[in-house]
Coordinates of all heavy atoms in Angstrom, one line a residue:
W40 N -106.5 -37.4 82.6 CA -105.9 -36.3 81.8 C -105.6 -35.0 82.5 O -104.6 -34.3 82.2 CB -106.8 -35.9 80.6 CG -106.7 -36.9 79.5 CD1 -107.3 -38.2 79.5 CD2 -106.0 -36.8 78.3 NE1 -106.9 -38.8 78.3 CE2 -106.1 -38.0 77.5 CE3 -105.2 -35.8 77.7 CZ2 -105.6 -38.2 76.3 CZ3 -104.7 -36.0 76.4 CH2 -104.8 -37.2 75.8
W41 N -106.4 -34.7 83.6 CA -106.2 -33.4 84.1 C -106.0 -33.3 85.6 O -106.1 -32.2 86.2 CB -107.5 -32.5 83.7 CG -107.7 -32.6 82.2 CD1 -108.8 -33.2 81.6 CD2 -106.9 -32.1 81.1 NE1 -108.7 -33.1 80.3 CE2 -107.6 -32.4 79.9 CE3 -105.7 -31.4 81.1 CZ2 -107.1 -32.0 78.7 CZ3 -105.2 -31.0 79.9 CH2 -105.9 -31.3 78.7
S57 N -105.1 -27.4 83.8 CA -105.8 -27.2 82.6 C -105.1 -26.2 81.7 O -104.4 -25.4 82.2 CB -107.2 -26.5 82.8 OG -108.2 -27.5 83.2
D58 N -105.3 -26.4 80.4 CA -104.7 -25.4 79.5 C -105.4 -24.1 79.7 O -106.6 -24.0 80.1 CB -104.9 -25.8 78.0 CG -103.9 -26.9 77.7 OD1 -102.7 -26.7 77.8 OD2 -104.3 -28.1 77.4
G59 N -104.8 -23.0 79.3 CA -103.7 -22.3 78.9 C -103.3 -22.4 77.4 O -103.9 -23.1 76.6
P60 N -102.5 -21.3 77.0 CA -102.1 -20.2 77.8 C -103.1 -18.9 77.8 O -103.2 -18.2 78.8 CB -100.8 -19.7 77.3 CG -100.4 -20.8 76.3 CD -101.6 -21.5 75.9
R64 N -109.0 -23.5 79.4 CA -109.6 -24.6 78.6 C -109.8 -25.8 79.5 O -109.1 -26.7 79.5 CB -108.8 -24.9 77.4 CG -109.4 -26.1 76.5 CD -108.2 -26.6 75.7 NE -108.5 -27.8 75.0 CZ -107.8 -28.9 75.1 NH1 -106.8 -28.9 76.0 NH2 -108.0 -29.9 74.3
L115 N -101.8 -24.3 82.4 CA -100.7 -24.8 81.6 C -100.2 -23.7 80.6 O -100.6 -23.7 79.4 CB -101.1 -26.1 80.9 CG -101.6 -27.2 81.8 CD1 -102.1 -28.4 81.0 CD2 -100.5 -27.6 82.8
G116 N -99.4 -22.9 81.1 CA -98.8 -21.8 80.3 C -97.9 -21.0 81.2 O -98.0 -21.2 82.4
R129 N -96.7 -23.6 66.1 CA -97.3 -23.0 67.3 C -96.8 -21.6 67.6 O -96.9 -21.1 68.7 CB -96.9 -23.9 68.5 CG -97.6 -25.2 68.5 CD -97.4 -26.1 69.8 NE -98.3 -25.8 70.8 CZ -98.4 -26.6 71.9 NH1 -97.6 -27.6 72.1 NH2 -99.4 -26.3 72.8
E132 N -98.7 -19.3 69.7 CA -98.8 -19.6 71.1 C -97.5 -19.1 71.8 O -97.4 -19.2 73.0 CB -98.9 -21.1 71.3 CG -100.2 -21.5 71.8 CD -100.2 -23.0 72.1 OE1 -100.3 -23.9 71.2 OE2 -100.0 -23.3 73.3
K162 N -93.7 -23.6 79.7 CA -93.5 -24.7 78.7 C -93.0 -24.1 77.4 O -93.0 -22.9 77.2 CB -94.9 -25.4 78.5 CG -96.0 -24.5 77.8 CD -97.3 -25.2 77.9 CE -98.4 -24.5 77.1 NZ -99.7 -25.2 77.2
H163 N -92.5 -24.9 76.5 CA -92.2 -26.3 76.6 C -90.7 -26.5 76.7 O -90.0 -26.2 75.7 CB -92.7 -27.0 75.3 CG -94.2 -26.8 75.1 ND1 -94.7 -25.7 74.3 CD2 -95.3 -27.4 75.5 CE1 -96.0 -25.7 74.3 NE2 -96.4 -26.7 75.0
N167 N -88.2 -26.7 71.9 CA -89.3 -27.3 71.2 C -89.8 -26.4 70.1 O -90.6 -25.5 70.3 CB -90.4 -27.5 72.3 CG -91.6 -28.3 71.8 OD1 -92.7 -28.1 72.3 ND2 -91.5 -29.1 70.7
E170 N -93.2 -28.6 64.9 CA -94.3 -29.5 65.2 C -94.2 -30.8 64.5 O -94.6 -31.8 65.0 CB -95.6 -28.8 64.8 CG -95.9 -27.6 65.7 CD -96.0 -27.9 67.2 OE1 -97.0 -28.6 67.6 OE2 -95.1 -27.5 67.9
R173 N -93.0 -34.0 66.4 CA -92.4 -33.3 67.6 C -92.1 -34.2 68.7 O -91.4 -33.8 69.6 CB -93.5 -32.2 68.1 CG -94.8 -32.8 68.5 CD -95.7 -31.7 69.0 NE -97.1 -32.2 69.1 CZ -98.0 -31.7 69.8 NH1 -97.8 -30.6 70.5 NH2 -99.2 -32.2 69.9
M174 N -92.6 -35.4 68.7 CA -92.4 -36.3 69.8 C -91.1 -37.1 69.6 O -90.7 -37.9 70.5 CB -93.5 -37.3 70.0 CG -94.8 -36.5 70.3 SD -96.1 -37.6 70.9 CE -97.5 -36.5 70.9
M206 N -93.0 -27.4 82.3 CA -93.4 -28.6 81.5 C -92.3 -29.0 80.6 O -91.8 -28.3 79.8 CB -94.6 -28.2 80.7 CG -95.3 -29.4 80.0 SD -96.6 -28.9 78.8 CE -97.8 -28.4 79.9
Y209 N -91.8 -32.5 74.5 CA -91.9 -33.8 73.8 C -90.5 -34.2 73.3 O -90.2 -35.4 73.3 CB -92.8 -33.7 72.6 CG -94.3 -33.7 73.0 CD1 -95.1 -32.7 72.5 CD2 -94.9 -34.8 73.7 CE1 -96.5 -32.7 72.8 CE2 -96.2 -34.8 74.0 CZ -97.0 -33.7 73.5 OH -98.4 -33.7 73.8
D241 N -94.9 -33.0 79.2 CA -95.9 -32.6 78.3 C -96.8 -33.9 78.1 O -96.4 -35.0 78.5 CB -95.4 -32.1 77.0 CG -96.4 -31.4 76.2 OD1 -97.6 -31.4 76.5 OD2 -96.1 -30.7 75.2
W242 N -98.0 -33.7 77.6 CA -99.0 -34.7 77.7 C -98.6 -35.9 76.7 O -98.7 -35.7 75.5 CB -100.4 -34.2 77.3 CG -101.2 -33.7 78.5 CD1 -102.4 -34.1 78.7 CD2 -100.8 -32.9 79.6 NE1 -102.9 -33.5 79.9 CE2 -101.9 -32.8 80.5 CE3 -99.6 -32.3 80.0 CZ2 -101.8 -32.1 81.7 CZ3 -99.5 -31.6 81.2 CH2 -100.6 -31.5 82.0
S363 N -104.4 -27.5 71.7 CA -104.7 -27.6 73.1 C -105.0 -26.3 73.7 O -105.6 -26.2 74.8 CB -103.5 -28.2 73.8 OG -102.4 -27.4 73.7
S364 N -104.7 -25.2 73.0 CA -104.9 -23.8 73.6 C -106.3 -23.3 73.3 O -106.6 -22.2 73.6 CB -103.9 -22.9 73.2 OG -104.0 -22.6 71.8
E431 N -101.5 -26.5 66.3 CA -100.6 -27.3 67.1 C -100.5 -28.7 66.4 O -101.5 -29.2 65.9 CB -101.1 -27.5 68.5 CG -100.3 -28.4 69.3 CD -100.9 -28.6 70.7 OE1 -101.7 -27.8 71.2 OE2 -100.5 -29.6 71.3
Ligands
BGC1 C1 -99.4 -29.6 74.4 C2 -99.3 -28.8 75.7 C3 -100.6 -28.8 76.5 C4 -100.9 -30.3 76.8 C5 -102.2 -30.5 77.5 C6 -99.9 -31.0 74.7 O1 -100.2 -31.7 73.5 O2 -98.1 -29.7 73.8 O3 -99.0 -27.4 75.4 O4 -100.5 -28.1 77.6 O5 -101.1 -31.0 75.5 O6 -103.3 -30.2 76.7

Side-chain angles (χ1 to χ4, degrees):
W40 281 75
W41 309 111
S57 277
D58 284 299
R64 177 198 172 235
L115 303 174
R129 290 184 94 170
E132 253 187 276
K162 65 192 190 181
H163 305 90
N167 184 207
E170 293 302 289
R173 60 179 168 159
M174 300 193 189
M206 189 187 291
Y209 285 123
D241 197 345
W242 269 230
S363 63
S364 67
E431 175 181 339

